[in-house]
Amino acid sequence: MKSAMRPAKPPRRLPPKKPSTNQKDPVGVYCRVRPLSPSDQECCIEVINETTVQLHPPDGCKANRNGEYKETQYSYKQVFGTQVTQKELFDVVSRPLVEDVIRGKNGLLFTYGVTGSGKTHTMTGSPGDGGLLPRCLSMIFNSIGNFQAKRYVFKPDDKNGMDVQNEVDALLERQKREVQPQLITRTPLSRQRMDPEFADMINIQEQCKVEDVDEDSVYSVFVSYIEIYNNYIYDLLEEVPLDPIKPKWNTPGRNAEFIPPQSRILREDLNHNMYIAGCTEVEVKSTEEAFDIFWKGQKRRRIANTQLNRESSRSHSVFMIKLAQAPLDADGDNVLQEREQITLSQLSLVDLAGSERTNRTKAEGSRLREAGNINQSLMTLRTCIEVLRENQLCGTNKMVPYRDSKLTHLFKNYFDGEGKVRMIVCVNPKADDFEESLQVMRFAEMTQEVEVARPVDKPICGLTPGRRYRNQAFKEELTRRLEDRGGPINGDAEDQAVVEILIQSFPPLPSCELLDANDDHTLPKLIEVLEKRRRIRQMMAEEFNKNVSTFRAMLQDLNGVVTAKENIAQGRMTEKDKMIASQKSEMERLDKKIKTLEYKIDILEKTTTIYEDEKRTMQQDLDSHQQKLQRQLSDKRRLEARLQGMMNENAMKWEKECERRVAAKQLEMQNKLWVKDEKLKQLKAIVTETKGDKPERPPREKDREPRTAPPVHPRHRRSRSAGTERWVDHKPTSSVETDTVMQPHIPKSIKVSVASEKALAKCEKYMLTHQQLASDGEIETKLIKGDVFKTRGGGQSVQFTDIETLRQQSPPSGGRKRRSSPSNQPPQGETTDSEWTDVETRCSVAVEMRAGSNLGPGYEHHGVTKRRRP
């Protein structure tokens, strides 16, 4: 075959890596709000107008860094509310992509959102209301229905290209495929019955199609369906023949020998376009056949039941519609057998799996792994968009991490200028999805800032336009002329009928049996009949030649008419070419003007961006300075308040200290005066005492007898706590009573064994009695004092201000001594106490107060023996 002899070359595609024009289009982002389900009461999303949507923080939502969530608004190319129909959504979003596909350009449409936001419903639809996918298929087949090529005229070459065959080779291919068992049903529409499960989805009443379709080309549609599961690509249209003895396919739960489908790999063709190697591409001829194949693949897609969605997609699905078109030859009969003239265009419809939080879905095991891979691929998509945006806005040349995920690696050509890119953001207005919807809408709004290079138009083949209809008109005119002249109408059957009529018009042949050698009648009759037939045949030949001459003349006349029409058409074409040339020059002039204006607009936009950045930076600096000033002012106020408190505290402290020192000094002076007065009284008593009045000294035996101390009336020690204030005398039950002369006494006090708030509320002062064993073995009593204050909460607090210490101390054993000098010893019978006790010994026993005590008289009462001089 002629096509098989040529070396395999890639199809003619103009990869717009660097388009001739610098025109770019932003990524079209649309928002669709799902209706609120009856079980959800609170709505957090409101459609403001056709391009703006507003998010309200729900009640009980966590606060952000500033204290609370604020109402945020996001703008998109168009916002569709809850009442929008699938038809309205298709006309705005998908219809331009289908028109571009028929004109030889690529398109990418994907739905994005959290789980349960209506992405699959938007793409597939519901019974009676088909989604975007069946409507795209219907529009494609409505537009190219009359210009489709026969099956197997176009044949994929497994390298992202397409081969073209003549009709004879295509017929042989069809016969060969009909004999072989088919893995994917390709039954013609007239013989197949639609699956009632999806029949209502593709029964679209609105017949929409593209108007300006190239009538001099033939078209074929190929579909493929894949899913990206756990960052692996699987072909949903692949089928493995079942083994009747050991069924191994699609029975993972019932058969231990389950064989999972083989994952596919991504490759790059000669034009640097990414494709899936070994992916099944099925040629379809109608919407029903295409959607039937899609539905079979949809049943194999991985879905699962989660806490948030009963049928949650666990993988990203990609349904690819590839349109192959090639021009007709110069006669308008057959496809032009040149592979370079084939144009391929592709529309990719992507249903992304929803992002989800595992703490809400309660995912475990494989579901948790699936959720992690889904979120990772979506995060990679977001990272690629952010890097593209940064490269375009800031002029950087950072590497975009397409290869981090199979999803972004597959569609990297679209972001490099292979076609239009559009995204539908599906959001659920229920309050539980507020935080996830906030992140999704923020990313979608940022995606609009990414610009994609506009693809160029497909090249013109250079053949005369209108070839198909001109050939059809010629055939119709020829048939009409033949009918007028009695020519054949129905082809071979009519020719056979004419031959039978001619045979019947010949004279019948006589009997040719010779019974006798002298028979003179049979041969002459036969010769006569044959002669008549020869004359009739000659007359018919002459008539035929005459008819041929007439028909030749008619053909020449027709050829002249066609030539004249061609000349007229050529003249018109020349005029049209001149008009096109003038229009092209005008378009070039306008393009130059547009480029100049776009250049100016770019400069203005860059200038505006610079000014906005400076304004934003200055505003941030101003805000930071204001915040710094506010912090400094608040620090200053706190410091002033702190210093004021410290000053007041120090003033009160020093005031109390001064009062304490003055009181201590007064007490010290009083103690000194009191000690001196006591000593003077004793000296005066010793000096004024007469010797004759002295009693005699008792005998020695009497000295050994124990002396009884004179009765001492116990008196209470004067405490500093005595005053007008009321006291809480807190003395634990474990306290030991000391039999000392001086005891602490507070007249206005409430005695308690356990501190209580009720007692503290009635008093202004507080005293705690604490006892412990001193180092000398005596009991040491501490009186801990404090002031009672009321707190803001209505309670009482105690601030301790003073501690008094009470100690007991035994006097020395040698308190009284006799005179050592025996020279002045009185007589035996006249010895008295005053005689053997001298003045120095008597004065050495005194009551002393430790100077400087702040606890008043009686704090320490000791009998100290004064050291004698050597």
Side-chain angles (χ1 to χ4, degrees), residues 244-256:
I245 300 176
K246 293 182 178 180
K248 300 179 181 180
W249 183 246
N250 278 344
T251 56
R254 293 173 291 178
N255 193 351

Side-chain angles (χ1 to χ4, degrees), residues 193-377:
R193 295 178 58 188
M194 290 187 296
D195 191 343
E197 191 173 0
F198 64 84
D200 293 339
M201 294 185 184
I202 60 176
N203 188 14
I204 301 172
Q205 301 296 331
E206 304 87 0
Q207 298 293 332
C208 56
K209 64 178 183 178
V210 180
E211 298 297 335
D212 300 331
V213 181
D214 187 6
E215 300 170 349
D216 295 322
S217 299
V218 292
Y219 302 86
S220 287
V221 179
F222 295 83
V223 295
S224 55
Y225 196 18
I226 59 104
E227 71 170 351
I228 302 176
Y229 176 74
N230 287 340
N231 207 23
Y232 289 97
I233 300 176
Y234 297 98
D235 186 1
L236 295 178
L237 302 183
E238 177 189 14
E239 287 194 10
V240 177
L242 290 175
D243 189 350
I245 300 176
K246 293 182 178 180
K248 300 179 181 180
W249 183 246
N250 278 344
T251 56
R254 293 173 291 178
N255 193 351
E257 299 182 359
F258 168 70
I259 300 178
Q262 182 67 33
S263 62
R264 303 299 182 185
I265 61 176
L266 287 175
R267 294 190 183 277
E268 192 175 29
D269 62 7
L270 297 177
N271 295 326
H272 305 288
N273 296 323
M274 304 306 301
Y275 71 97
I276 302 170
C279 182
T280 304
E281 293 183 351
V282 183
E283 185 177 5
V284 292
K285 295 299 179 183
S286 64
T287 305
E288 292 79 8
E289 184 181 358
F291 200 79
D292 179 51
I293 292 173
F294 163 77
W295 199 253
K296 290 180 180 179
Q298 185 75 1
K299 291 180 179 179
R300 299 172 189 166
R301 188 181 175 190
R302 291 171 173 86
I303 60 174
N305 184 11
T306 64
Q307 294 289 336
L308 301 181
N309 191 357
R310 186 169 57 88
E311 294 182 356
S312 176
S313 301
R314 313 310 297 168
S315 62
H316 309 298
S317 67
V318 183
F319 187 76
M320 291 174 284
I321 305 172
K322 184 179 291 186
L323 181 65
Q325 51 183 309
L328 295 173
D329 56 8
D331 296 333
D333 286 333
N334 300 317
V335 183
L336 191 64
Q337 298 295 309
E338 293 183 9
R339 184 174 177 177
E340 292 78 7
Q341 295 293 334
I342 299 176
T343 302
L344 293 178
S345 56
Q346 180 172 303
L347 175 61
S348 300
L349 303 176
V350 185
D351 182 13
L352 296 177
S355 59
E356 57 186 34
R357 294 189 177 182
T358 55
N359 58 352
R360 292 187 60 200
T361 58
K362 309 300 181 185
E364 296 179 353
S366 61
R367 297 290 171 264
L368 182 62
R369 181 167 173 260
E370 292 168 357
N373 286 301
I374 291 171
N375 294 334
Q376 181 64 32
S377 61

Side-chain angles (χ1 to χ4, degrees), residues 744-785:
H745 174 68
I746 302 175
K748 297 181 181 181
S749 64
I750 299 176
K751 299 183 180 295
V752 295
S753 59
V754 178
S756 63
E757 184 178 357
K758 184 176 180 181
L760 291 173
K762 297 179 180 179
C763 302
E764 295 84 8
K765 299 288 185 177
Y766 172 81
M767 182 178 72
L768 171 65
T769 302
H770 173 68
Q771 290 183 341
Q772 64 182 10
L773 193 66
S775 60
D776 55 357
E778 299 292 339
I779 295 177
E780 182 180 74
T781 304
K782 289 186 178 182
L783 304 179
I784 305 172
K785 301 178 181 180

Side-chain angles (χ1 to χ4, degrees), residues 376-389:
Q376 181 64 32
S377 61
L378 295 177
M379 183 60 66
T380 304
L381 175 63
R382 182 170 184 170
T383 303
C384 294
I385 294 294
E386 289 177 352
V387 174
L388 283 171
R389 172 175 170 270

